[in-house]
């Protein structure tokens, strides 16, 4: 291994030091880079491409549902943002305030959006007059700012991040609730059908719901190596909480009715979850559908024989063209001054799903050597119908990656009604599915009771919190809550969390 | 006219009170709405759609050139932004500073990006090592903030606006300069081939170039009713100014070379220019290629005859399907409780390029009534091959709108070498093409000399400034500058400006 390979290779194993492994893989796969302001990260083209694919899929889906795209200002006045009490309670400590312009103080400081309910809803109040103006369904792709002071981590928790936020208004509760779950299902598709990451859809507990929402639906992912759940996207039913505060009502059958509202968002956290779930000791492993390069071709066995090289490159050119015709994103790494071994490492750490190694012997036999990154398997294949073969192979890789991830995730879910087993499982980096009363005090109690302190009272391991009440839920009758004396209403999914 | 029509109709003519006309048209066509912070505007779906079309076209073009998409943080430290002296001079007064988070003061305040040279280039310095890493060509679509205190105007000058900013680095000056003009030409295409707005490409004078650039290329549009030029997009050759300040160099043939850089951007100002150029006394007139709805169908002659109405709607449905097959964005306004006249006004003020009016008589004769918004012309056409006909018609409309705008613009350009004629033309709301020395002091002098003051010394009419030195330029030899005694180097395009 030469110095460059050492410099660019992974120097830590995923199971051994997961936090360090993550920091290395996002940098070395050139997904992000650090920046000189804490909690702000640079999304490099290799990382941003994933976001582009997600945007394209989601935009197409919501377009078809009649959601329209718009853009609201990122600045918000104090009076607007303080209108909904529970909402501002949630966001106040993280608000960034602009107080100066040039050398001058600004008369009334303004905040940067942490989310846009209070920015958009005054307009909703102005625009909506009649039930015929409903539904109003708007979406914007933008940046938001939340001044996180600790635990910042690329993609997972940043001060500035990118997201889409959808905001809709309906005449009836039924229509609004239907949309909440429809969108949640789209978010699930993003994770499962594009990023090959399994998620559990559910409802957030009262303590964990969005500030100002009636209820919050969520999809929860899980990271086996850290033993932590991660909130993957949320879709909120706001009921009439905001419409009453912002006076958003429409005339229907000669009476004024407050509208029912939703808001829903998915962020660039998606990318971090994907990296954590799929990456391995050699670096990133890209799910094929979001990978900027799906197939890389590396010529091998190059000698000082111009005639032979020309023939080999023609053979490869033909393959490249065929893959492009099959809508495969292919890159031919034709550099002559770089050894194949170096190229292998280069593309391996970036996680390109398929590598074709093609040398004079392959040319002679009409073959290609096919390497699949996710299982590090190498096999020889016929060159014939290579486009069709690799199209299918990419789908197989996606499906396999999803199944492996799901199997691993499922092996980390423990079902119990014993508090002792609960504590053991948390220490074993697992999630728990337990009978639960859903009471907010019990929610707090579980977190506190599962937090582990050292002899000086310092927190050694954070407590488990309610991740969600899964939509797929066991029926209970007469059973007790895992922690308190109240009756269990449903399963609760608990675990440590990002 | 009922009250609604009065409320929603235009109440002022374009030629009579242009500033008021513009404020009305952008609101009433639902392109933007006002917001409770000065200089911040809401882009409604009808306006945002135009930006989406521009993004799609431009992204496709730069993708094909190998430019990659990324996203850098919007926050910048004081030390970074102050690195390039001329650059910070330009932007310092407009910088918005975050000094507080929640209730706490921030140790080191950070600014919001007014543009991202100083945010991106420290990374360029880190990433670029060898000439093999070049060219580096990155682009991002984002928001920027410039704390404008006066003359804010929807789309044209806002505190926050949307844009793309491209930033590239090359080994040689030649490659960089080639890109500057290639991108400028793409910007010209956006205006001319999508927005049907003629622009003049040129070079900015020394006084008007971007802070930190070697030279700035620009395309300049013109608004006849206000008699003002408007900078429509710019593409800068930065030379080695930033690479020397940010230490961006690569090893080439065993020596370290500072890279040559460009930056280039186009903003949502595009939409404002389009509105100003094409709108008329009835409201907006949308250039067809960026219009969210290209054809609206309004059923007419609806009576209380269910059978007849059903037949008419079937006839219209067939037409709608045919238009969709021809990739025309069509909307069938089928509401039964709204009169056709009201619908006409509704779509007219929004500027939908084509309206089809279809009634029982048209059904009987196999016709449609075709109304083209830009020239307010109405004619009967055969229903046969309507898809093909309207596809062509949309192209004809685009071409006609461009030619009308160009003819009007050209009629406002005065060529002279007399200062007296210069002053008369400025008062007549025209632009001037004059022999010019290109001297910065002369640039200042022309502006000052053409500013008109009242008896108390207050400015009544702003002065003419150098808009650009057009790329298409007359050769001079021995002629004098229009204003000073120096020799004319080239034409200068002068006029009042936004």
């Amino acid at each position: 291994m030469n110095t460059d390979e050492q410099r660019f290779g992974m120097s830590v194993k995923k199971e051994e030091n997961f936090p360090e492994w993550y920091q290395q893989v996002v940098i070395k796969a050139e997904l992000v880079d650090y920046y000189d302001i804490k909690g702000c990260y640079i999304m490099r083209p290799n990382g941003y491409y994933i976001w582009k694919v997600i945007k394209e899929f989601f935009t197409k889906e919501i377009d078809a549902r009649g959601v329209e795209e718009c853009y609201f200002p990122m600045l918000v006045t104090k009076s607007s943002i303080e209108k909904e009490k529970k909402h501002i309670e949630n966001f106040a400590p993280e608000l960034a305030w602009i107080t100066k312009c040039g050398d001058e103080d600004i008369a009334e400081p303004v905040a940067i959006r942490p989310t846009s309910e209070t920015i958009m809803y005054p307009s909703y109040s102005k625009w909506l007059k009649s039930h015929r103006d409903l539904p109003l369904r708007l979406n914007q792709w933008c940046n938001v700012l939340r001044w996180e002071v600790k635990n910042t981590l690329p993609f997972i928790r940043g001060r500035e991040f990118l997201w889409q936020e959808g905001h809709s208004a309906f005449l009836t509760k039924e229509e609004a609730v239907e949309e909440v779950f429809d969108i949640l299902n789209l978010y699930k598709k993003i994770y499962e059908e594009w990023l090959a990451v399994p998620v559990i859809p559910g409802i957030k507990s009262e303590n964990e719901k969005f500030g100002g929402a009636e209820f919050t639906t969520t999809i929860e992912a899980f990271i086996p190596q850290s033993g932590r759940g991660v909130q993957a996207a949320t879709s909120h039913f706001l009921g009439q909480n905001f419409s009453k505060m912002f006076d958003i009502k429409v005339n229907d059958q000669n009476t004024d009715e407050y509208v029912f509202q939703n808001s829903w968002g998915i962020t660039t956290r998606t990318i971090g979850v994907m990296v954590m779930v799929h990456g391995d000791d050699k670096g990133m492993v890209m799910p094929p559908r979001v990978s900027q390069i799906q197939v890389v071709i590396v010529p091998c066995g190059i000698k000082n024989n111009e005639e032979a090289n020309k023939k080999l490159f023609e053979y490869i050119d033909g393959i490249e063209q065929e893959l492009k015709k099959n809508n495969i994103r292919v890159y031919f790494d034709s550099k002559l001054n770089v050894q194949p071994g170096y190229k292998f490492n280069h593309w391996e750490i970036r996680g390109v799903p398929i590598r074709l190694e093609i040398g004079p012997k392959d040319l002679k036999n009409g073959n290609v050597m096919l390497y699949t990154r996710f299982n590090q398997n190498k096999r020889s294949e016929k060159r014939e119908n290579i486009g069709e073969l690799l199209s299918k192979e990419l789908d197989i890789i996606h499906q396999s990656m999803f199944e492996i991830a799901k199997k691993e995730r499922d092996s980390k879910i423990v079902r119990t009604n014993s508090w002792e087993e609960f504590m053991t499982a948390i220490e074993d980096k697992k999630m728990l599915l337990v009978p639960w009363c859903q009471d907010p005090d019990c929610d707090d109690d579980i977190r506190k009771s599962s937090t582990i302190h050292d002899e000086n009272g310092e927190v050694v391991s954070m407590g488990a919190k309610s991740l969600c009440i899964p939509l797929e839920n066991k029926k209970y009758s007469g059973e007790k809550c895992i922690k308190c004396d109240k009756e269990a209403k449903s399963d609760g999914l608990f675990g440590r969390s990002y």
Side-chain angles (χ1 to χ4, degrees), chain A:
Chain A
M1 207 188 260
N2 67 28
T3 11
D4 266 0
E5 282 164 38
Q6 280 163 356
R7 190 168 129 222
F8 294 118
M10 298 290 294
S11 73
V12 63
K13 289 193 190 322
K14 192 178 186 183
E15 296 288 343
E16 282 172 6
N17 185 347
F18 182 70
E20 170 62 21
W21 171 89
Y22 180 69
Q23 305 258 3
Q24 280 196 18
V25 74
V26 291
I27 296 293
K28 294 187 176 184
E30 296 187 349
L31 298 168
V32 295
D33 209 342
Y34 289 107
Y35 186 64
D36 67 351
I37 297 174
K38 185 186 153 79
C40 293
Y41 306 98
I42 296 155
M43 282 181 79
R44 302 186 69 171
N46 201 29
Y48 194 83
Y49 187 87
I50 302 157
W51 190 236
K52 276 181 85 163
V53 175
I54 292 172
K55 276 171 87 164
E56 197 181 325
F57 164 74
F58 191 72
T59 298
K60 203 176 147 199
E61 290 287 337
I62 60 175
D63 262 9
R65 287 160 171 79
V67 178
E68 292 192 291
E69 203 166 329
C70 64
Y71 187 77
F72 279 72
M74 71 160 161
L75 304 180
V76 57
T77 60
K78 203 163 189 287
S79 59
S80 275
I81 207 166
E82 287 179 348
K83 236 172 196 171
E84 217 287 350
K85 211 172 138 261
K86 282 183 190 152
H87 186 68
I88 184 66
E89 266 175 24
N90 256 247
F91 288 105
E94 296 173 0
L95 283 180
W97 292 94
I98 297 177
T99 65
K100 276 180 69 177
C101 139
D103 290 328
E104 310 280 320
D105 285 340
I106 291 172
E108 207 201 343
V110 292
I112 314 281
R113 64 179 159 225
T115 178
S116 300
E117 282 76 5
T118 60
I119 291 173
M120 296 169 82
Y121 299 167
S123 293
Y124 281 41
S125 169
K126 193 164 92 179
W127 295 336
L128 296 174
K129 301 287 172 206
S130 152
H131 67 96
R132 279 188 298 265
D133 300 327
L134 294 176
L136 177 63
R137 303 174 75 185
L138 298 182
N139 180 63
Q140 67 181 15
W141 296 91
C142 64
N143 56 347
V144 287
L145 195 65
R146 298 177 186 178
W147 208 262
E148 308 280 353
V149 284
K150 51 183 184 176
N151 300 327
T152 55
L153 198 58
F155 296 122
I156 299 294
R157 178 171 287 109
R159 282 183 179 166
E160 182 189 5
F161 57 86
L162 302 182
W163 77 347
Q164 64 62 227
E165 48 180 325
H167 294 267
S168 45
F170 296 90
L171 185 62
T172 66
K173 179 177 172 177
E174 290 65 35
E175 290 167 282
V177 170
E178 191 187 334
E179 187 203 57
V180 166
F181 288 99
D182 180 40
I183 296 292
L184 190 73
N185 193 44
L186 284 182
Y187 290 155
K188 187 167 181 278
K189 282 190 181 197
I190 288 173
Y191 275 90
E192 302 197 334
E193 295 177 15
W194 293 89
L195 305 174
V197 170
V199 290
I200 297 171
I203 313 280
K204 282 284 182 191
S205 70
E206 277 302 299
N207 288 359
E208 300 292 333
K209 76 180 186 186
F210 179 71
E214 284 289 306
F215 67 82
T216 286
T217 69
T218 179
I219 46 174
E220 298 283 323
F222 184 73
I223 312 300
Q225 288 73 19
S226 64
R228 297 207 215 170
V230 50
Q231 177 180 302
T234 47
S235 176
H236 317 293
F237 173 62
L238 306 177
Q240 296 177 313
N241 293 338
F242 284 89
S243 65
K244 284 178 179 166
M245 289 304 130
F246 286 91
D247 197 34
I248 312 174
K249 49 189 188 228
V250 295
N251 192 280
D252 180 46
Q253 298 170 337
N254 291 321
T255 59
D256 280 349
E257 305 282 353
Y258 288 108
V259 301
F260 290 88
Q261 290 181 273
N262 299 331
S263 68
W264 26 274
I266 193 166
T267 79
T268 38
R269 172 176 272 197
T270 39
I271 303 169
V273 173
M274 176 200 81
V275 173
M276 287 183 167
V277 167
H278 296 304
D280 66 15
D281 291 345
K282 289 193 160 186
M284 187 51 205
V285 179
M286 286 295 296
R289 291 175 191 162
V290 296
S291 190
Q292 185 164 21
I293 300 174
Q294 297 174 309
V295 177
V296 63
I297 308 179
V298 178
C300 298
I302 301 282
K303 299 259 161 55
N304 239 340
N305 178 337
E306 221 173 279
E307 184 59 25
N309 293 346
K310 199 180 154 219
K311 273 190 189 152
L312 180 64
F313 272 48
E314 277 170 12
Y315 183 63
I316 294 178
D317 282 339
I319 293 171
E320 191 188 1
Q321 291 319 312
E322 187 174 330
L323 297 192
K324 282 184 180 164
K325 261 186 214 141
N326 281 266
N327 293 316
I328 294 171
R329 297 188 290 269
V330 55
Y331 179 74
F332 175 17
D333 190 351
S334 60
K335 288 185 286 293
L336 285 175
N337 57 343
V338 177
Q339 288 302 310
Y342 182 90
K343 291 179 183 174
F344 293 176
N345 289 336
H346 179 87
W347 298 112
E348 193 117 333
I349 203 162
R350 279 163 185 72
V352 172
I354 293 177
R355 176 174 81 225
L356 295 182
E357 303 167 14
I358 304 176
K361 229 163 112 183
D362 301 296
L363 164 60
K364 195 179 145 207
N365 301 327
N367 286 343
V368 301
M369 188 59 77
L370 190 165
Y371 172 81
T372 46
R373 173 67 182 87
F374 84 104
N375 59 359
Q376 301 180 38
N377 180 288
K378 206 186 260 196
R379 67 185 199 257
S380 186
E381 287 283 355
K382 285 273 152 227
R383 183 249 173 273
E384 223 181 5
N385 294 328
I386 187 75
E388 222 174 284
L389 176 84
L390 292 193
S391 284
K392 278 185 201 153
E393 187 71 22
L394 288 167
D395 274 339
I396 292 168
I397 293 172
H398 171 90
Q399 204 49 44
S400 306
M401 285 177 68
F402 177 74
E403 275 158 23
I404 290 167
K406 187 165 185 306
K407 206 171 152 189
E408 187 171 12
R409 195 271 320 264
D410 288 346
S411 77
K412 302 289 181 175
I413 303 178
V414 173
R415 181 177 272 290
T416 182
N417 54 11
S418 137
W419 180 251
E420 207 180 349
E421 277 178 37
F422 184 108
M423 288 298 291
T424 311
I426 288 295
E427 279 311 288
D428 283 353
K429 298 187 176 177
K430 290 180 173 167
M431 280 193 292
L432 286 125
L433 211 47
V434 296
W436 190 42
C437 65
Q438 297 186 12
D439 189 279
D441 291 336
C442 182
D443 203 343
D444 283 342
D445 184 30
I446 290 175
R447 187 199 295 236
K448 278 179 204 151
S449 305
S450 60
T451 303
I452 297 174
H453 299 84
D454 65 13
E455 47 215 5
N456 302 317
E458 298 287 321
V459 172
V460 179
S461 292
M462 70 163 99
K465 70 179 191 183
S466 162
L467 301 174
C468 71
I469 297 151
L471 295 188
E472 264 188 46
N473 213 299
K474 201 175 144 178
K475 291 269 170 286
Y476 287 100
S477 78
E479 270 181 77
K480 278 228 170 107
C481 169
I482 181 145
K483 191 68 180 68
C484 69
D485 281 340
K486 288 189 282 298
E487 206 171 296
K489 281 190 181 157
S490 69
D491 282 335
L493 184 71
F494 286 83
R496 289 185 186 139
S497 174
Y498 279 94

